[in-house]
Amino acid sequence: MDISAFYQLKDRLYASVAAGCGTIKEDFRLKRAIEAFEPLAKANKVFKKLYDMCVGLIDSEKPSEIIVDCIALADALAVTQGTFAEKAITHKQTDSINSQPAYIYSSVLSNRISELQNNTVVSINKSIAFDPRFINAFIKKIGTNSVNFEKCAETLLKNYYGESIIPILKELVKEQFSNPKANGKAVDYIALIAKEKENDFYIDIAFDENAPQTVRASAIKAMAFQPQNAETLEQIYNTQKGNAKKSALMSLAKIGGEIAERNLQKICQKFAKTNAEIIAISNGETCTKFVKDYISQKLDGKISPEEQELIVTMLANKKGLESEILAVARVFLDYKIIDLNDMLVENVINNDDEYYKQLIKNLYKKLPEFFGNAYFWLSVVLTDEEFSTETAHNINKIVNANREYYLRVISRLRYFSLEDTFKICADNYGNSMIDGLPVTQKQILRLLNIAGDVSYLEQAKTIKRKSAVENEIVSCIDISCYIFDRLYNQTAFSVDVLKIVRQKAMDFVTWCVDNYPTAESIVSFNNMTNGKASEQRPHILENYIDFYIKYKSRAVHFSNLRLVPEDILIKELPQVIQKYSDEYEKNKSILIGTQLKELNRMKKALGL
Amino acid sequence: MIYSQGVFPEIVKKATFLSEQPDDSEVNNITSLCIKLASSIKKSIAYIDEKLETGEVLPEDNILYEAMGNVWKLAQLKEIGLYKENASILQLSFVVIDDDIHKALVDTAYWIDVETGEISRTENIRPIRALSYIKTQDSAFDLYKVKELYRYPGGLNRRIRWEAAETEKVKDNKIFEKVLSLAEPTLSEAVKKAKNELKNTMSEPVVALLTAFDSIEFTDDQKPVLKKGEETILLQSNENYPETCEVLKLMNNNFLQDGALLGEFSYDPISRKICLCPISIVVKTGIVRLV
């Protein structure tokens, strides 16, 4: 039965309310709708009721009261007339991502999703990673410009979802066509997982005029995985503008070869700083020669910091420029040397080529004072080669020159359960080239040899007055203790490795407690002995204070005493105070007097 | 918003955010709410008049009591027999709804009585200004055995509350098979039930039912469709569950066959269709939450 007359009447009733009930008497459209509804009313009892009410409405003196009832009835009737069948053709979902619902509390899942949304993801376990609700939240975040999120995304994509997520990412790419501000991240992630396997997809997007520029640019970049794309890329480079053009050249630079070389020649001939990034990517002859000539020109005069940065950028991935690197190192600012080292390390990380490893070794041999950093990371973390005597000696020398820096980097070692791997995390100041680099357990043991070295501390005992050097030494001890304390119970280590780690930890911390105590070393010792420090070293507090009075000629301040575990303080404080009170009685030493003051202050704070 | 308070704040909010040139659907939306308010007032006046006439002033099983602004005490509900003894209920879904009209967070859960199949809801209302004073609720996976389960007046999806309950871990799949057997066996029956509730002016705009399905499939443009026998219905997210359809797209196919869907039925006056918003799926091995 065609009930369109009913819907028209319903619409007119609503329109009458909107127009104002005062006009109902003159509302000819409403009257017409009621008349058109009459046949339906004759066929159906409930429609008849509505019809009768509407007829009464027209001539009513109080239309506002009646129209409420009319609409209420019309709404109810509309519900009863509502249909639900769906006619579209359907098909079963192809299992793509192999999701698995996690039976977890709503609050737990919400927290993890909030972390994702706020780019503060710290850790996710497998069960949450595969929950479809989490996956949905993750997909919605793709496109976010956040370093934290991108790192999390890369881990999830490479280690968990893999190629199964590609169909979903492809859908996302299509959805982005309607967003001119879309940033092409979905394509980048497809490329990250699939590399050359989705070459046809990249080409389709690259040539799709409906796609936003940035999405096309990402697709063009991804074409670099397939060397056969060189001609197509040249075509894009010659016909397109903006991001697409630049991306095409970047991809050509990555692929290399004849086509790349002839196109790179053009930008080298008319060099603009904005092309430095492209020159950096290429390891071909054209760019290498350009950089060589560029450096040679600049060395004639003073090189500004901006130009130093440019040179470091363009030296990346180049072979045969060892002399040039040595030449710039001699004139660069200190902090640019660090960048130079970073670049050398990145060359090793990004290129599976022995040349770059040998380059670092050669540079270090010639200018050890400049290239120690790159040499250190190459020897300790980027290879698994056993140390030769010479290498061990070199590492020692490098670390001795800047121990605190290396210990701080080692202290950023973290275990990532999502990937079942250890990595060195970023620090608060920005990304270092070593950040996020996976470190094997064998390499961790090497790093712990450095953290556990006490040889420099033997001589350090004799440094009397508080100085920058003394502060640095104490800092090194504390950082090492922190490293060992954190790794002491790290169950991610294999059983054998954990045994070695614990031995190294105990050796170092015990040595410090006995020979060069700090508050941190006492805390670590107490943690490692499960709170039984006092049993193993009954005079640990006394030794700590004695050391500073005897070797450093200064008192241990209240702020350091506070860090000592409370049970140790409660146990030893009375007798230590007694000891120094007796001593003070004998010789009235100012130093002892000061120490007593600090000890009594601590006693009062504990309520003893 | 399943939230048993007046419709007036909703009208104010919709009016506040009305566009400069409102279209028919915006105007009709507010008109519909005004009709609801007018009906409530009319019915409330009649209710009070009747009370005055008969002298029966105590409250009874009638939603108007709360609609007029009164607050039920559990003792009152017990007195008028609105409680069930020794109820066994299982939570089917849990969500925290941000009710910005009333400036509160509402912990909302749907529960099923494993004996009768009745679907009820719990609401823990936490005003924003008092968030730190009210305990939040969370999802629950155990079977709740409630000595005295209080039921608020209403039609389908009555609000329930209890003071104490024992929980029993779900050890095997029998309970889920039982729940599956309690689902509406056909779409027509589920829709009929929903329509009977939705057509009442004073009812909530959504009705939650557990509906059996053979499969959930997808159209070419990736919209989910529930299929039971020859009957089909398009699944659409709503304001309180905005992403459940997208989560469905990511669901393993194993969970999209031979199960039952907890969903909110509603009527869309623009398409003139009965809509279904998915919330949870019950299968033989468990309950899969989409939110």
Side-chain angles (χ1 to χ4, degrees), chain A residues 35 42 65 93 122 320 360 384 387 445 500:
Chain A
E35 282 161 18
K42 284 184 175 156
E65 287 180 21
Q93 188 72 308
V122 174
I360 292 176
D384 263 335
F387 282 179
L445 288 176
I500 298 171

Side-chain angles (χ1 to χ4, degrees), chain A residues 383-526:
Chain A
T383 78
D384 263 335
E385 285 171 15
E386 294 299 331
F387 282 179
S388 63
T389 317
E390 189 189 349
T391 308
H393 170 76
N394 291 338
I395 297 293
N396 218 24
K397 215 167 114 190
I398 293 166
V399 170
N400 276 339
N402 200 352
R403 185 175 296 275
E404 194 177 348
Y405 160 76
Y406 288 104
L407 287 176
R408 286 200 187 280
V409 177
I410 296 168
S411 74
R412 302 201 313 261
L413 198 62
R414 293 284 183 278
Y415 176 68
F416 289 82
S417 58
L418 207 58
E419 304 148 80
D420 189 21
T421 192
F422 287 90
K423 288 184 188 179
I424 294 173
C425 291
D427 64 10
N428 292 331
Y429 302 103
N431 297 321
S432 149
M433 75 314 185
I434 212 72
D435 294 336
L437 204 62
V439 183
T440 65
Q441 295 192 25
K442 181 176 176 180
Q443 290 159 357
I444 290 174
L445 288 176
R446 284 195 207 165
L447 290 169
L448 292 183
N449 282 342
I450 295 164
D453 180 13
V454 297
S455 58
Y456 71 102
L457 292 170
E458 294 281 5
Q459 299 145 12
K461 261 187 187 175
T462 58
I463 299 170
K464 285 278 182 195
R465 299 300 306 169
K466 194 163 183 170
S467 64
V469 174
E470 161 71 7
N471 284 345
E472 199 183 312
I473 288 164
V474 168
S475 184
C476 287
I477 293 173
D478 287 351
I479 297 171
S480 289
C481 288
Y482 169 76
I483 291 166
F484 283 120
D485 201 354
R486 271 192 42 253
L487 295 177
Y488 194 77
N489 290 313
Q490 179 50 270
T491 50
F493 286 133
S494 68
V495 169
D496 294 338
V497 167
L498 185 60
K499 209 170 161 185
I500 298 171
V501 169
R502 283 187 163 175
Q503 191 58 57
K504 284 185 195 295
M506 196 51 91
D507 287 348
F508 178 82
V509 170
T510 314
W511 189 95
C512 288
V513 157
D514 290 341
N515 298 285
Y516 204 131
T518 65
E520 182 72 40
S521 66
I522 296 174
V523 168
S524 298
F525 183 68
N526 198 45

Side-chain angles (χ1 to χ4, degrees), chain A residues 216-245:
Chain A
R216 292 177 71 191
S218 290
I220 293 166
K221 272 190 229 163
M223 286 168 69
F225 284 113
Q226 190 63 273
Q228 280 91 312
N229 286 331
E231 273 183 31
T232 316
L233 285 164
E234 186 177 35
Q235 181 195 342
I236 295 172
Y237 178 66
N238 289 331
T239 55
Q240 298 295 318
K241 290 179 185 174
N243 277 338
K245 187 180 179 84

Side-chain angles (χ1 to χ4, degrees), chain A residues 69 82 93 99 106-107 140, chain B residues 42 138-139 195 246 250 253:
Chain A
D69 292 337
Q93 188 72 308
S99 62
S106 170
S107 54
K140 284 190 151 27
Chain B
K42 204 171 172 179
D138 209 334
S139 26
K195 280 181 178 179
E246 283 160 9
L250 300 167
N253 242 335

Side-chain angles (χ1 to χ4, degrees), chain B residues 170-231:
Chain B
V170 173
K171 288 179 201 145
D172 55 37
N173 294 334
K174 283 194 189 131
I175 193 80
F176 305 120
E177 287 170 10
K178 178 77 205 281
V179 169
L180 276 174
S181 72
L182 295 167
E184 301 299 327
T186 65
L187 254 178
S188 311
E189 286 179 56
V191 170
K192 187 178 173 185
K193 234 181 187 170
K195 280 181 178 179
N196 273 339
E197 184 73 16
L198 291 169
K199 72 183 185 192
N200 299 325
T201 319
M202 299 222 21
S203 70
E204 296 287 344
V206 294
V207 170
L209 292 168
L210 189 66
T211 311
F213 64 82
D214 294 331
S215 63
I216 294 175
E217 298 186 358
F218 296 83
T219 60
D220 286 338
D221 53 355
Q222 289 297 298
K223 290 185 180 147
V225 173
L226 183 144
K227 295 179 116 167
K228 178 66 180 170
E230 296 298 317
E231 295 179 318

Side-chain angles (χ1 to χ4, degrees), chain A residues 132 165 246 317 353 359 416 468 541 571 577:
Chain A
I165 202 172
K246 187 173 179 179
N317 303 308
D353 191 329
L359 175 63
F416 289 82
L541 177 66
K571 191 174 175 214
I577 289 175

Side-chain angles (χ1 to χ4, degrees), chain A residues 207-396:
Chain A
F207 283 100
D208 192 332
E209 305 244 326
N210 295 321
Q213 273 291 312
T214 42
V215 174
R216 292 177 71 191
S218 290
I220 293 166
K221 272 190 229 163
M223 286 168 69
F225 284 113
Q226 190 63 273
Q228 280 91 312
N229 286 331
E231 273 183 31
T232 316
L233 285 164
E234 186 177 35
Q235 181 195 342
I236 295 172
Y237 178 66
N238 289 331
T239 55
Q240 298 295 318
K241 290 179 185 174
N243 277 338
K245 187 180 179 84
K246 187 173 179 179
S247 298
L249 192 57
M250 282 174 81
S251 292
L252 276 172
K254 241 185 214 155
I255 291 173
E258 204 185 303
I259 298 175
E261 290 296 289
R262 70 167 171 260
N263 285 286
L264 286 167
Q265 223 157 41
K266 295 176 199 171
I267 62 158
C268 289
Q269 279 164 4
K270 273 191 187 171
F271 176 66
K273 287 178 186 174
T274 48
N275 287 326
E277 199 188 339
I278 298 174
I279 291 171
I281 294 171
S282 169
N283 60 6
E285 224 180 274
T286 305
C287 289
T288 303
K289 184 174 181 307
F290 169 78
V291 173
K292 185 179 172 127
D293 293 342
Y294 186 89
I295 289 173
S296 182
Q297 277 172 31
K298 294 295 172 188
L299 279 172
D300 287 340
K302 202 173 171 191
I303 312 179
S304 71
E306 292 74 29
E307 276 171 340
Q308 290 182 30
E309 193 161 324
L310 206 61
I311 289 170
V312 170
T313 302
M314 293 196 293
L315 276 170
N317 303 308
K318 303 293 176 290
K319 289 185 178 179
L321 293 183
E322 195 177 304
S323 323
E324 281 70 23
I325 295 173
L326 286 166
V328 298
R330 289 188 175 93
V331 301
F332 267 12
L333 295 164
D334 282 348
Y335 66 92
K336 286 299 166 204
I337 302 288
I338 296 169
D339 290 348
L340 205 53
N341 278 265
D342 282 359
M343 180 272 296
L344 292 167
V345 170
E346 269 169 7
N347 281 346
V348 173
I349 294 169
N350 296 334
N351 296 284
D352 186 16
D353 191 329
E354 281 300 312
Y355 171 85
Y356 297 102
K357 293 180 182 174
Q358 194 57 49
L359 175 63
I360 292 176
K361 290 177 187 172
N362 293 348
L363 289 169
Y364 177 74
K365 221 175 193 168
K366 290 177 184 165
L367 278 182
E369 64 273 32
F370 289 125
F371 296 106
N373 196 272
Y375 183 88
F376 177 89
W377 293 117
L378 173 69
S379 310
V380 177
V381 169
L382 295 177
T383 78
D384 263 335
E385 285 171 15
E386 294 299 331
F387 282 179
S388 63
T389 317
E390 189 189 349
T391 308
H393 170 76
N394 291 338
I395 297 293
N396 218 24

